[in-house]
Amino acid sequence: MYMSDIANAFDHGKAFIAFVTAGDPCFEKTVEFVLKMVEAGADLIELGVPFSDPIADGPVIQAANLRAFADGTTTDRVFEMVEEIRKHTDVPLVLLTYLNPVYKYGYEAFMRRGADVGLDGLIVPDLPIEEKAEVGDVAKRYGIDVISLIAPTSNERVKAIASDASGFLYVVSSMGVTGVRSEIETDLGGVMKTIRAVSDVPTAIGFGISTPEQAKQMAQYADGVIVGSAIVKIIARYGEGATPYLVEYVENMKDALR
Amino acid sequence: MSKGRYGVHGGQYIPETLMNEVTRLEKEYDYYKNDPAFNEELDRLLNEYAGRPSLLYYAAKMTEDLGGAKVYLKREDLNHTGSHKINNVLGQCLLAKKMGKTRIVAETGAGQHGVATATAAALMGMECEIFMGKEDTVRQALNVYRMELLGAKVNAVTSGTMTLKDAVNECMQEWTRRVDDTHYCLGSVMGPHPFPMIVRDFQSVISKEARAQILELEGKLPSAVVACVGGGSNAIGAFYNFISDENVELIGCEAAGRGVDTDEHAATIARGSQGVFHGMKSYFCQNEDGQIAPVYSISAGLDYPGIGPEHANLHDLGRAHYVPITDDEAVEAFEYLARTEGIICAIESAHAVAHVKRIAPHRDKSDIIIICLSGRGDKDVAAIARYRGVDVHE
């Protein structure tokens, strides 16, 4: 069995995980944004595969999906972006995708292509552990981790999810969909304790984190923090000229985590 | 493989945030469906409030005109709120209330499920929010006001194609935000398990009654049962108690819009492919990248890119057949039923009438066809007038 490189992301202190939607606003800029964010200190990259009906995402990511579609982004184009990024960096890289684009591509074909271009993992928001096997068994053969999510409502499910985890565990900080929040109220300490009792897989907290203060606060509980909507908002605002703003943002966030 | 499977279809493909809630819903439903007090209360609501049992009406003039099989209409249009939707809504709202929920959210296409949900919520003293595609709020403006009269808040959904599927997306999101006090009263036999089972069970009263009624009236079973299919709740309700009667043909009528060879249809079985969406594995209208396709039908209630997993399985097994019906055929059938039988049915139900118009003349006079007339057509009158170039405004 192959191992993915995801563990490397958690090797140098608390990890900063950056999300961008693939193809927002275009192929070349996505590649540039990713490479510059890695230089600025991002430890792991989540590349969002645009989907017509992103039920777990708020308006910020929904709008990014539309921009990506406008540029003609397809599943194959996303793989090409990963291939291009891989020419310049070995940063751990995962795709965030709803299940249907993977199902339609064919699990076997998707994982084979993913492994070819150097993909390390997949986050599938509409794939709870009950349904994980049909994707996870194929992914495992290609050395791709299917990353599980833990929600504030998971309660007694935490143990089962954590026992089965690979890559890292994505801990959802609050109820609802992705998006920037002013306060995060979940009992993260308790959740982490349950996870640690059964697994030593790294943990990262996401949903609603945007400021260095929030990142620092969340990093007390986890091995890393995930930021999506705040980054996508910068891209929405500055478009093709977003690079210097993204670099500054990532540097500040990474500093807060040191 | 997880629970709630119909062949390869069904399952629970939803965010982790909702998993404990659907598991709880399943447990509570398993308990209450066998609870005599719950069933007594539901039966009382169905009979004394919704007006059940609904009539099984012999359409003598239509039968004579078509010159073949005897045509019966299962009159779900005569239920309180004007469609079959009330059957499911009374069941789910009562269940939600027993679960301690104080708030109901629901999606709606044509507005029939929204009106039914708002009605049940008013009756049971629950807070109610309805999500409806902006496009549909325009097509069915009167239903929006109707829901507001009933005390519901109506949210016009502006994401995506601004129709039924987007209303489902927003409703799921709203439920994710507030699972503690909120029940999502899903309106069709779709979504994650246990919804396709719960909605089917509550709708199966249609075929339970129809089967007993036809045996009483004719002393034999029908040769075919025909119903329109969007998500498929009236159809599964009309089919369910006939599934084990192998000689009863089951026919679902999908919306072919401007034709299955155009880009403007909602014919999931005719033109869709297998996928995973809205919590279930089933057939969906989608492109080669798995992006859900924009769909179209004159009927807001059939304007959905998927079909319930139990229908997908009945199709795979060949137990039920699904046929596409165009806007033109549906409108013609809508007008035909009005003139022939004096019944203005929902444009959704007119899709089933259209197919029976096509097949009844070729059947033997001893054959019986039951059409599930899922709803009444008051809501569609202005749209049909506009379709015919008459400038009528509500």
Side-chain angles (χ1 to χ4, degrees):
Chain A
M1 194 180 104
Y2 304 99
M3 289 289 286
S4 80
D5 294 330
I6 288 176
N8 298 345
F10 299 88
D11 276 354
H12 12 89
K14 302 286 184 179
F16 179 73
I17 300 174
F19 169 94
V20 289
T21 299
D24 170 27
C26 65
F27 185 107
E28 292 73 20
K29 284 293 160 182
T30 296
V31 174
E32 179 184 315
F33 294 162
V34 168
L35 294 176
K36 292 294 178 185
M37 287 197 294
V38 171
E39 274 177 36
D43 299 294
L44 191 153
I45 297 294
E46 258 183 45
L47 210 51
V49 178
F51 186 51
S52 52
D53 296 83
I55 58 158
D57 285 300
V60 174
I61 310 271
Q62 287 181 25
N65 284 337
L66 295 181
R67 292 193 295 271
F69 284 130
D71 192 58
T73 306
T74 61
T75 310
D76 275 322
R77 290 285 282 171
V78 175
F79 282 129
E80 286 164 28
M81 282 179 227
V82 176
E83 203 166 24
E84 189 57 35
I85 291 164
R86 271 286 169 263
K87 289 179 185 164
H88 308 280
T89 175
D90 57 2
V91 69
L93 201 150
V94 304
L95 293 184
L96 189 143
T97 175
Y98 289 84
L99 185 57
N100 202 44
V102 186
Y103 183 81
K104 190 72 183 162
Y105 203 93
Y107 294 151
E108 190 78 31
F110 193 98
M111 301 308 162
R112 190 187 310 122
R113 181 88 176 105
D116 279 352
V117 296
L119 188 67
D120 296 297
L122 273 188
I123 303 173
V124 188
D126 52 353
L127 188 77
I129 46 166
E130 282 77 358
E131 310 289 0
K132 189 179 169 185
E134 66 180 66
V135 185
D137 293 350
V138 183
K140 202 177 264 180
R141 278 193 278 116
Y142 288 94
I144 293 173
D145 288 318
V146 176
I147 288 141
S148 293
L149 292 96
I150 284 175
T153 46
S154 292
N155 302 330
E156 73 282 1
R157 296 169 53 82
V158 171
K159 210 173 144 183
I161 299 170
S163 313
D164 177 60
S166 64
F168 70 94
L169 262 169
Y170 190 135
V171 181
V172 175
S173 65
S174 30
M175 298 299 285
V177 296
T178 56
V180 173
R181 283 174 177 77
S182 53
E183 270 178 74
I184 289 163
E185 293 167 340
T186 308
D187 170 27
L188 293 163
V191 172
M192 292 303 167
K193 220 170 139 186
T194 314
I195 294 172
R196 279 294 159 259
V198 293
S199 169
D200 53 8
V201 168
T203 56
I205 300 180
F207 276 43
I209 300 171
S210 62
T211 66
E213 293 70 35
Q214 283 173 325
K216 201 166 179 168
Q217 190 200 345
M218 290 300 119
Q220 296 169 36
Y221 302 108
D223 304 309
V225 299
I226 305 164
V227 173
S229 295
I231 288 173
V232 173
K233 264 181 150 174
I234 294 172
I235 297 169
R237 183 165 174 198
Y238 298 104
E240 301 202 348
T243 304
Y245 302 96
L246 291 172
V247 167
E248 188 192 351
Y249 180 78
V250 173
E251 282 173 351
N252 286 337
M253 293 297 278
K254 186 65 191 176
D255 274 349
L257 293 174
R258 280 187 227 275
Chain B
M1 216 178 264
S2 67
K3 289 178 290 189
R5 292 285 169 175
Y6 305 88
V8 298
H9 303 285
Q12 295 180 304
Y13 299 89
I14 48 167
E16 170 60 23
T17 314
L18 288 174
M19 278 308 294
N20 257 331
E21 187 59 22
V22 296
T23 305
R24 180 175 169 225
L25 178 63
E26 185 190 358
K27 275 192 194 133
E28 299 264 5
Y29 177 66
D30 272 349
Y31 173 79
Y32 283 109
K33 77 175 181 192
N34 298 314
D35 175 33
F38 177 87
N39 285 303
E40 203 174 296
E41 201 172 343
L42 181 57
D43 283 347
R44 191 182 57 77
L45 285 169
L46 288 172
N47 297 336
E48 295 172 21
Y49 185 71
R52 301 211 72 87
S54 70
L55 299 175
L56 185 69
Y57 165 73
Y58 172 48
K61 283 189 69 192
M62 187 174 167
T63 300
E64 192 189 341
D65 181 62
L66 297 175
K70 280 180 104 168
V71 178
Y72 277 85
L73 306 176
K74 181 61 176 163
R75 300 289 308 273
E76 293 300 303
D77 60 315
L78 296 178
N79 296 339
H80 181 44
T81 74
S83 81
H84 70 291
K85 293 292 185 186
I86 195 79
N87 305 331
N88 165 46
V89 157
L90 288 173
Q92 278 200 55
C93 289
L94 191 61
L95 177 63
K97 195 148 180 151
K98 301 276 180 203
M99 289 172 70
K101 305 281 182 177
T102 56
R103 181 170 174 264
I104 299 286
V105 294
E107 85 292 345
T108 197
Q112 288 174 315
H113 177 57
V115 168
T117 306
T119 299
L123 177 70
M124 297 185 202
M126 300 170 94
E127 199 187 325
C128 180
E129 269 190 53
I130 303 296
F131 292 79
M132 188 172 187
K134 188 158 182 275
E135 181 97 350
D136 295 333
T137 63
V138 175
R139 285 197 277 197
Q140 300 289 348
L142 213 51
N143 266 342
V144 174
Y145 194 72
R146 210 166 265 146
M147 290 182 263
E148 287 167 353
L149 272 178
L150 291 159
K153 184 178 171 217
V154 180
N155 300 292
V157 174
T158 56
S159 60
T161 54
M162 303 190 206
T163 59
L164 183 52
K165 83 170 166 70
D166 310 285
V168 174
N169 294 348
E170 296 266 337
C171 222
M172 278 192 178
Q173 295 201 344
E174 178 59 23
W175 194 33
T176 309
R177 276 188 283 268
R178 277 181 72 171
V179 286
D180 282 350
D181 66 346
T182 300
H183 174 69
Y184 178 10
C185 183
L186 234 163
S188 195
V189 283
M190 45 154 294
H193 176 71
F195 283 108
M197 173 183 76
I198 291 179
V199 179
R200 177 253 278 151
D201 287 355
F202 287 141
Q203 291 295 0
S204 65
V205 65
I206 300 172
S207 51
K208 188 179 160 199
E209 288 174 6
R211 196 174 184 284
Q213 286 166 323
I214 200 71
L215 287 173
E216 168 87 29
L217 289 164
E218 295 277 354
K220 64 175 183 178
L221 292 172
S223 55
V225 177
V226 184
C228 64
V229 184
S233 72
N234 95 82
I236 210 76
F239 293 173
Y240 190 65
N241 289 286
F242 292 108
I243 290 176
S244 52
D245 300 319
E246 282 173 25
N247 294 324
V248 179
E249 202 182 339
L250 306 174
I251 305 170
C253 302
E254 307 188 300
R258 300 205 164 91
V260 289
D261 297 324
T262 71
D263 287 337
E264 294 177 281
H265 62 75
T268 307
I269 294 288
R271 281 289 178 268
S273 58
Q274 262 187 39
V276 183
F277 183 53
H278 280 164
M280 59 184 172
K281 196 174 276 181
S282 187
Y283 291 97
F284 298 96
C285 295
Q286 56 182 326
N287 73 8
E288 68 277 9
D289 255 359
Q291 307 294 343
I292 302 304
V295 288
Y296 163 81
S297 163
I298 188 173
S299 142
L302 304 182
D303 199 354
Y304 181 71
I307 189 167
E310 192 163 5
H311 284 294
N313 189 45
L314 290 173
H315 166 73
D316 286 353
L317 297 171
R319 178 63 191 92
H321 294 99
Y322 297 85
V323 295
I325 303 291
T326 63
D327 284 0
D328 283 347
E329 293 171 299
V331 170
E332 203 194 309
F334 176 94
E335 294 167 338
Y336 174 84
L337 195 68
R339 284 195 311 269
T340 314
E341 292 289 347
I343 296 171
I344 296 178
C345 72
I347 188 64
E348 287 78 16
S349 322
H351 285 70
V353 175
H355 187 63
V356 172
K357 272 186 70 193
R358 200 190 282 165
I359 63 170
H362 309 291
R363 302 278 170 121
D364 198 89
K365 281 186 194 303
S366 64
D367 282 346
I368 297 163
I369 299 176
I370 296 177
I371 303 175
C372 184
L373 216 62
S374 57
R376 70 176 178 223
D378 311 43
K379 67 180 180 58
D380 298 310
V381 172
I384 301 295
R386 287 197 293 275
Y387 188 83
R388 288 300 188 206
V390 182
D391 191 26
V392 174
H393 289 278
E394 289 166 335

